[in-house]
Amino acid sequence: MDGHRTSSGACSRQEPRSTAKDAKKKPKIPDRVTLKKEIGLLSACTIIIGNIIGSGIFISPKGVLEHSGSVGLALVVWVLGGCIAALGSLCYAELGVTIPKSGGDYSYVTEIFGGLMGFLLLWSAVLIMYPTTLAVIALTFSSYVLQPVFPNCVPPYMATRMLSTTCLLFLTWVNCSSVRLATRIQDIFTVGKLMALGLIIVVGLVQIFNGNYETLTPQVAFEQDRPPSVGQIALAFLQASFAFSGWNFLNYVTEEVVEPRRNLPRAIYISIPLVTFVYTLTNIAYFSSMSPEELLSSNAVAVTFGEKLLGMFSVIMPISVALSTFGGINGYLFTSSRLCFSGAREGHLPSLLAMIHFKKCTPIPALLVCCTATIVILCIGETHNLINYVSFINYLSYGVTIAGLLYYRWKKPNLYRPIKVNLLVPVCYLLFWALLLGFSLYSEPVVCGVGLVIMLTGVPVYFLGVHWKEKPKCIYDFIGEWLFLKCCPEFDKYEFLKVDNNTDISALNVKFNYFHNTYWCIFLWT
């Protein structure tokens, strides 16, 4: 893999010229390896839908209702949350075809605002945002799987962590093995998610047709003991935004999308309205059979729903939710690993993370880092305590990226843009974004403040690790001796690396890919 360029075509394997004598000494190796273009329109839609529909719709209804204070206002928050996601996705469609790089927010902000801003987004995403989101989805998966085993109590701490870790390790292996297999799993489980939510919606509509809709009548739906503060409504939106997070994830794999200028916007236009419609109907179904008090007291909303309405078939519900979250874990692993890959390719993360297996064309080291970071978060966090935290950082990155869209239009007005959204779209999104973050800071200063502090810790890391170009020769000697040669001592270090004062560390990245068998990358990270 060239550390600075990727091919626009399929996986490239060009053999370097060599004599017959050289061929006996050295194994044939690819000149360059790139990610394959294997994501068509259907897979693009399933990546968006599969990443959005994970654990959020099964755990966020409780938080949205708790902060909004009434059923009616909670439903309004869900609809508006989908509308805001639609506005953001339109902006990302323009950015995705104007700056056709994998990496999403990070790549766009780096291109528009420069390395420091891009690195801070990357730092917070790799360190907190995506491992935490993956941990939340994995914990939801294990909780629903274990719910039938422990029907009268909360599943044990160690049992949920061990099952979550097993699921993560299995799906990491799948993503390391084959891009095609990972996308096929995403396709299948996305259909399973929609079927699970479809079951909830159909049962809920049957309840409504049978006259069980008292909670949904306007007189009861908007009834409140006390009006919620603006800050509480902002927190309700943050809870809903967690359920909608993932709407921008197709932009993380732009380079693997077939005909991205056509399929990227099409996938967004199909997926976001569909998810908003499904989410709203799912919440209506919940409230058709559960009182607000029952929903707030439930640790697994879908399971409680199934126990009330499905009788002996209630076991279907935890199985369906487990399948849904399983697909969500797969989707987040697939896309977040590409973020690590993009960061390493730009020189903002260790070069090893830009390595691609030359046969399978998968970013194995990046996948292993994502898996490891998630397992660490699993051991230190609880599900509901993490959601506001992650949602704040998510919204912060969205706002910076869409502000970049406006700045890029001013900076390069004549740049060709295959898609150009109306100026009101990013402006409306940013107005909502500013209000939401402002009131969130007011309501939860500690949570939001810690998130900002974590982002700012990336500043010294950037200047020491990225901005400082003239590093001492001993650093490169260390890299050559301990990261490379200790793993493959049969290679002559002077022949292989030839490190001197003028050596660019990215050159090591290119040479590193010349190994005939790159599976040993796994041993560096485990």
Side-chain angles (χ1 to χ4, degrees), residues 96-281:
V97 296
T98 305
I99 307 173
K101 293 182 179 180
S102 293
D105 316 59
Y106 161 71
S107 294
Y108 309 147
V109 170
T110 302
E111 176 77 19
I112 297 168
F113 292 123
L116 177 59
M117 287 292 290
F119 180 80
L120 291 180
L121 276 188
L122 179 69
W123 176 258
S124 59
V126 171
L127 201 65
I128 292 294
M129 191 159 55
Y130 294 119
T132 301
T133 305
L134 261 170
V136 171
I137 300 173
L139 286 172
T140 306
F141 165 80
S142 58
S143 296
Y144 273 90
V145 169
L146 295 172
Q147 190 71 33
V149 182
F150 302 94
N152 299 318
C153 62
V154 177
Y157 179 91
M158 283 304 299
T160 56
R161 266 59 186 180
M162 290 180 66
L163 183 57
S164 299
T165 302
T166 302
C167 177
L168 277 166
L169 291 173
F170 172 73
L171 287 174
T172 300
W173 173 79
V174 168
N175 278 268
C176 288
S177 300
S178 170
V179 172
R180 187 177 297 276
L181 179 58
T183 55
R184 290 298 170 267
I185 287 178
Q186 193 67 13
D187 295 348
I188 293 167
F189 281 91
T190 297
V191 173
K193 295 176 186 191
L194 292 175
M195 289 178 65
L197 293 177
L199 176 62
I200 294 173
I201 291 169
V202 169
V203 173
L205 290 177
V206 170
Q207 288 291 104
I208 291 173
F209 290 144
N210 289 334
N212 298 318
Y213 52 82
E214 182 181 351
T215 308
L216 298 169
T217 58
Q219 297 85 353
V220 178
F222 290 93
E223 185 180 319
Q224 296 174 323
D225 295 333
R226 56 186 176 86
S229 65
V230 179
Q232 288 297 313
I233 294 175
L235 291 176
F237 270 105
L238 283 182
Q239 289 281 333
S241 75
F242 177 79
F244 279 102
S245 62
W247 53 261
N248 61 325
F249 267 32
L250 186 60
N251 294 70
Y252 282 82
V253 294
T254 302
E255 293 173 24
E256 295 173 77
V257 176
V258 178
E259 297 184 42
R261 289 186 174 179
R262 184 185 69 177
N263 289 330
L264 178 64
R266 283 184 178 180
I268 289 171
Y269 299 151
I270 292 170
S271 304
I272 304 298
L274 176 62
V275 171
T276 305
F277 181 72
V278 169
Y279 273 12
T280 305
L281 288 181

Side-chain angles (χ1 to χ4, degrees), residues 450-487:
V450 170
L452 288 173
V453 168
I454 289 174
M455 288 191 75
L456 293 177
T457 57
V459 175
V461 176
Y462 173 80
F463 282 105
L464 289 174
V466 180
H467 186 71
W468 184 24
K469 300 295 184 183
E470 301 297 326
K471 296 182 180 68
K473 178 176 178 291
C474 61
I475 294 178
Y476 296 110
D477 288 341
F478 172 82
I479 293 171
E481 288 286 348
W482 295 101
L483 292 186
F484 293 95
L485 302 177
K486 294 298 181 184
C487 299

Side-chain angles (χ1 to χ4, degrees), residues 325-520:
T325 50
F326 186 84
I329 295 168
N330 181 71
Y332 262 81
L333 272 174
F334 186 88
T335 49
S336 60
S337 64
R338 270 59 179 180
L339 176 62
C340 290
F341 167 82
S342 298
R345 188 178 58 185
E346 296 292 334
H348 287 171
L349 288 176
S351 301
L352 181 62
L353 298 183
M355 301 300 111
I356 301 173
H357 192 281
F358 81 93
K359 286 184 179 179
K360 302 182 182 299
C361 296
T362 55
I364 292 177
L367 282 161
L368 293 172
V369 166
C370 291
C371 179
T372 304
T374 304
I375 292 172
V376 171
I377 296 291
L378 274 174
C379 299
I380 61 176
E382 292 294 335
T383 305
H384 286 285
N385 296 332
L386 295 172
I387 292 178
N388 284 345
Y389 190 48
V390 175
S391 298
F392 175 79
I393 299 177
N394 252 332
Y395 255 103
L396 192 61
S397 64
Y398 296 159
V400 170
T401 305
I402 292 175
L405 168 65
L406 296 175
Y407 177 73
Y408 208 51
R409 285 211 188 168
W410 173 77
K411 183 181 177 183
K412 296 187 177 181
N414 298 322
L415 183 68
Y416 173 63
R417 293 173 171 85
I419 298 174
K420 192 172 183 179
V421 300
N422 190 289
L423 198 61
L424 286 175
V425 174
V427 169
C428 289
Y429 185 92
L430 286 176
L431 286 174
F432 176 84
W433 171 81
L435 288 172
L436 182 65
L437 288 189
F439 286 116
S440 299
L441 279 167
Y442 176 77
S443 300
E444 293 283 349
V446 175
V447 171
C448 300
V450 170
L452 288 173
V453 168
I454 289 174
M455 288 191 75
L456 293 177
T457 57
V459 175
V461 176
Y462 173 80
F463 282 105
L464 289 174
V466 180
H467 186 71
W468 184 24
K469 300 295 184 183
E470 301 297 326
K471 296 182 180 68
K473 178 176 178 291
C474 61
I475 294 178
Y476 296 110
D477 288 341
F478 172 82
I479 293 171
E481 288 286 348
W482 295 101
L483 292 186
F484 293 95
L485 302 177
K486 294 298 181 184
C487 299
C488 287
E490 68 272 15
F491 282 81
D492 182 86
K493 70 177 180 180
Y494 299 107
E495 181 68 25
F496 181 66
L497 290 178
K498 296 181 180 178
V499 177
D500 56 36
N501 288 329
N502 298 319
T503 300
D504 186 352
I505 192 65
S506 63
L508 304 180
N509 181 33
V510 177
K511 294 181 179 182
F512 179 72
N513 271 292
Y514 285 172
F515 284 109
H516 179 65
N517 183 2
T518 58
Y519 270 117
W520 63 269

Side-chain angles (χ1 to χ4, degrees), residues 289-309:
S289 57
M290 300 170 65
S291 67
E293 292 74 22
E294 286 177 313
L295 193 145
L296 290 173
S297 63
S298 173
N299 290 318
V301 177
V303 170
T304 304
F305 177 87
E307 288 173 349
K308 287 196 69 174
L309 299 180

